[in-house]
Short mmCIF file of all heavy atoms in Angstrom, two decimals:
data_model
loop_
_atom_site.label_atom_id
_atom_site.label_comp_id
_atom_site.label_asym_id
_atom_site.label_seq_id
_atom_site.Cartn_x
_atom_site.Cartn_y
_atom_site.Cartn_z
N ASP A 38 -106.91 106.78 -72.96
CA ASP A 38 -106.83 105.37 -73.33
C ASP A 38 -105.83 104.68 -72.41
O ASP A 38 -104.63 104.91 -72.51
CB ASP A 38 -106.41 105.24 -74.80
CG ASP A 38 -105.90 103.85 -75.13
OD1 ASP A 38 -106.47 102.88 -74.60
OD2 ASP A 38 -104.93 103.74 -75.91
N LEU A 190 -112.59 110.71 -51.01
CA LEU A 190 -113.71 111.53 -50.56
C LEU A 190 -113.41 112.43 -49.35
O LEU A 190 -113.75 113.62 -49.40
CB LEU A 190 -114.92 110.64 -50.27
CG LEU A 190 -116.23 111.38 -50.01
CD1 LEU A 190 -116.68 112.16 -51.25
CD2 LEU A 190 -117.33 110.41 -49.58
N THR A 237 -110.29 107.13 -40.57
CA THR A 237 -110.08 107.27 -39.13
C THR A 237 -109.10 108.39 -38.83
O THR A 237 -109.34 109.25 -37.98
CB THR A 237 -109.55 105.94 -38.54
OG1 THR A 237 -110.53 104.92 -38.73
CG2 THR A 237 -109.25 106.08 -37.06
#
Side-chain angles (χ1 to χ4, degrees):
D38 163 37
L190 190 64
T237 297

